[in-house]
């Protein structure tokens, strides 16, 4: 019989890739989506799998709906990827973020506890838990210090997952994933914002783009590889917590420079702080402008992950380098913007 998986947040970046991956593994895939006035299956369409998955209307805010869904779908594995996932938005919508990204996890765990505690559960934890990081690189034992309503909500979901494992013996696992990107990444996240702007500039559709703090550093990997790690975590003998990362980090500034290299532009930086700009070395045109609107009330300056546990216990390793990731994303955005 086919294995059945239920993915919350199937319309998001990871949800779409995970659905594709599980379909290829022979799973029957159910995906939770929110009712909106206009449906948003763009990513599933892009992967050509909208008709291959069974879409179920679910909202993380409605516990009764989640109980009904778990009862009807009867999944063997549940991947909780749904969240208000954008840090900047969480500062403006801290209560919504707490309800969806935090309490939503409990709504789903309760549905599993009530309907079928033998379900294997994956919670999408995040490197944002480390925030003002207490050690470098960060691993599963590094103390947490979240720096945004998003990070705090995710910390609650992280501990509830551990609590349901310890209290009810549920196979509940946390993947602490460092930033992972792809051509399906939301346009508001910094990597995709930049690669999309670079493609627009290439075609003369945009003159320059605004940016926030360019000196922050992130450990950026390729989303397609990270969702394989999620699946491996649920195939392990025991539930646990695993970091997925590349073990390398780079600044936003470097991401900008590398992205422009693919359209053969070199950036020369001028000025400092809020006055800083990036010019095209050849034409002198301004291509990048710092805009304080994109600064955050509290910043996560520097993250870098240690994925040794995932490597040793799951055999998981990242493959795509920083440069290659930027190339994949710039090329995809050039193709889309043609
Ligand atoms: P996205 O923002 O692309 O996707 C989030 C998904 O959650 C979307 O499908 C969205 O639906 C859904 N969602 C939002 N609110 C609700 C709600 N109230 N009820 C049901 N569904 C809802 O995130 P990613 O795919 O990038 O990330 C997947 C998960 O992993 C998230 O939980 C994220 O916080 C976490 N994570 C991501 C990292 C990354 O670098 N990408 C790093 C670490 C953790 P809709 O399309 O309708 O908005
Ligand atoms: P995050 O790590 O989940 O917050 O992912 P983002 O891609 O949203 O942001 C990564 C880092 O880039 C953060 O430290 C942001 O402050 C920084 N950053 C700088 N400029 C921008 C910008 O214009 N947009 C976004 N989203 N982030 C920016």
């Amino acid at each position: 019989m086919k294995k059945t998986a239920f993915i919350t947040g199937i319309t998001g970046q990871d949800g779409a890739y995970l659905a594709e991956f599980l379909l290829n593994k022979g799973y029957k895939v159910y995906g939770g989506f929110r009712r909106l006035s206009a449906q948003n299956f763009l990513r599933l369409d892009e992967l050509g799998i909208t008709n291959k998955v069974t879409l179920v209307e679910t909202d993380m805010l409605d516990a009764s709906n989640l109980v009904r869904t778990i009862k009807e779908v009867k999944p063997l594995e549940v991947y909780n990827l749904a969240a208000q996932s954008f840090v900047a938005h969480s500062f403006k919508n801290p209560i919504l973020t707490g309800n969806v990204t935090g309490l939503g996890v409990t709504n789903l765990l309760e549905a599993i506890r009530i309907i079928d505690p033998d379900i294997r559960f994956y919670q999408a934890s995040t490197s944002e838990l480390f925030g003002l990081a207490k050690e470098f690189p960060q691993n599963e034992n590094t103390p947490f210090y979240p720096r945004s309503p998003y990070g705090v909500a995710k910390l609650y979901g992280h501990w509830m997952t551990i609590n349901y494992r310890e209290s009810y013996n549920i196979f509940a696992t946390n993947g602490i994933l460092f930033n992972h990107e792809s051509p399906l990444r939301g346009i508001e996240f910094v990597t995709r914002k930049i690669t999309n702007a670079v493609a627009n500039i290439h075609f003369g559709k945009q003159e320059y783009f605004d940016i926030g703090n360019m000196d922050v550093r992130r450990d950026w990997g390729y989303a397609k590889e990270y969702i394989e790690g999620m699946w491996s975590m649920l195939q392990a003998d025991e539930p646990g917590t695993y970091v997925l990362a590349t073990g390398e980090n780079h600044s936003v500034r470097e991401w900008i420079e590398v992205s422009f290299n693919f359209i053969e532009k070199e950036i020369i930086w001028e000025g400092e702080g809020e006055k800083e700009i990036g010019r095209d070395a050849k034409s002198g045109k301004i291509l990048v402008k710092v805009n304080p609107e994109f600064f955050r009330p509290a910043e996560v300056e520097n993250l870098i992950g240690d994925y040794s546990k995932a490597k040793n216990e799951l055999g998981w390793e990242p493959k795509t380098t920083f440069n290659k990731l930027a190339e994949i994303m710039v090329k995809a955005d050039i193709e889309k913007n043609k």
Side-chain angles (χ1 to χ4, degrees):
M1 212 173 77
K2 274 191 167 190
K3 283 184 168 183
T4 302
F6 173 56
I7 304 171
T8 69
I10 197 165
T11 55
Q13 169 189 257
D14 290 6
Y17 282 129
L18 180 63
E20 182 186 48
F21 175 81
L22 293 177
L23 285 170
N24 288 337
K25 283 229 168 274
Y27 278 69
K28 168 116 183 96
V29 177
Y30 289 85
F33 74 100
R34 293 189 282 176
R35 197 205 79 85
L36 302 169
S37 63
Q39 277 317 333
N40 153 35
F41 301 133
L42 291 174
R43 293 183 173 102
L44 298 172
D45 289 345
E46 200 168 321
L47 299 181
I49 57 170
T50 312
N51 297 326
K52 297 187 180 155
V53 295
T54 306
L55 295 162
V56 197
E57 213 176 285
T58 51
D59 198 305
M60 297 308 290
L61 296 173
D62 192 324
S64 69
N65 167 280
L66 289 169
V67 169
R68 186 179 303 119
T69 303
I70 296 297
K71 204 169 176 183
E72 284 171 10
V73 169
K74 296 187 183 57
L76 197 67
E77 296 171 7
V78 169
Y79 296 86
N80 183 32
L81 309 186
Q84 190 306 94
S85 71
F86 187 39
V87 170
H89 190 72
S90 80
F91 282 104
K92 292 178 182 152
N93 299 269
I95 297 168
L96 174 91
T97 304
N99 282 331
V100 177
T101 307
L103 267 183
V105 182
T106 309
N107 289 338
L108 187 52
L109 283 167
E110 270 295 277
I112 290 171
R113 183 186 68 77
I114 293 164
I115 305 295
D116 178 7
D118 287 333
I119 288 170
R120 293 193 169 206
F121 175 78
Y122 173 85
Q123 167 59 13
S125 279
T126 164
S127 52
E128 287 290 315
L129 300 184
F130 300 122
L132 190 64
K134 296 296 162 203
E135 63 182 9
F136 291 86
Q138 295 91 44
N139 63 33
E140 293 78 5
N141 300 315
T142 302
F144 298 129
Y145 196 130
R147 292 271 278 174
S148 64
Y150 168 75
V152 174
K154 279 283 184 186
L155 185 56
Y156 169 82
H158 183 86
W159 278 110
M160 284 310 270
T161 302
I162 293 171
N163 187 255
Y164 272 60
R165 183 198 306 159
E166 294 177 352
S167 306
Y168 307 114
N169 211 18
I170 290 174
F171 191 111
T173 275
N174 282 306
I176 304 186
L177 272 52
F178 280 63
N179 296 46
H180 45 279
E181 318 295 313
S182 73
L184 298 186
R185 183 63 143 152
I187 209 92
E188 68 277 35
F189 292 89
V190 78
T191 52
R192 182 77 201 293
K193 171 177 168 173
I194 292 165
T195 57
N196 183 57
V198 165
N200 276 333
I201 290 169
H202 181 62
F203 290 116
K205 292 182 186 172
Q206 187 175 340
E207 282 180 21
Y208 67 90
F209 62 87
D210 287 331
I211 198 77
N213 185 340
M214 288 187 285
D215 296 315
V216 293
R217 301 181 75 82
R218 287 290 183 278
D219 178 328
W220 280 297
Y222 187 24
K224 268 185 113 163
E225 293 166 6
Y226 284 50
I227 55 95
E228 291 196 35
M230 295 176 187
W231 174 79
S232 300
M233 287 179 214
L234 291 200
Q235 315 312 309
D237 291 338
E238 298 292 333
T241 296
Y242 298 89
V243 162
L244 300 187
T246 70
E248 240 187 64
N249 73 4
H250 297 269
S251 64
V252 169
R253 189 184 297 278
E254 285 171 73
W255 183 269
I256 295 174
E257 290 170 353
V258 166
S259 299
F260 272 117
N261 280 345
F262 294 112
I263 60 163
E264 279 152 29
K265 289 200 190 298
E266 190 198 337
I267 302 295
I268 307 288
W269 300 105
E270 275 175 27
E272 274 178 29
E274 296 181 12
K275 299 256 158 18
E276 188 166 5
I277 52 166
R279 285 187 196 277
D280 178 5
K282 264 194 206 140
S283 67
K285 277 189 187 158
I286 296 176
L287 300 180
V288 188
K289 282 187 192 174
V290 168
N291 181 344
E293 190 191 311
F294 295 99
F295 292 167
R296 292 178 179 175
E299 182 57 276
V300 172
E301 301 282 349
N302 192 2
L303 292 174
I304 181 164
D306 170 0
Y307 63 90
S308 332
K309 182 180 173 190
K311 186 177 175 191
N312 295 334
E313 295 186 14
L314 308 172
W316 182 89
E317 264 186 289
K319 295 183 192 74
T320 306
T321 60
F322 175 78
N323 274 277
K324 186 69 196 169
L325 180 61
E327 183 183 345
I328 292 170
M329 290 175 65
V330 172
K331 284 191 172 159
D333 275 321
I334 286 184
E335 205 49 44
K336 281 182 199 168
N337 277 289
K338 252 182 194 166

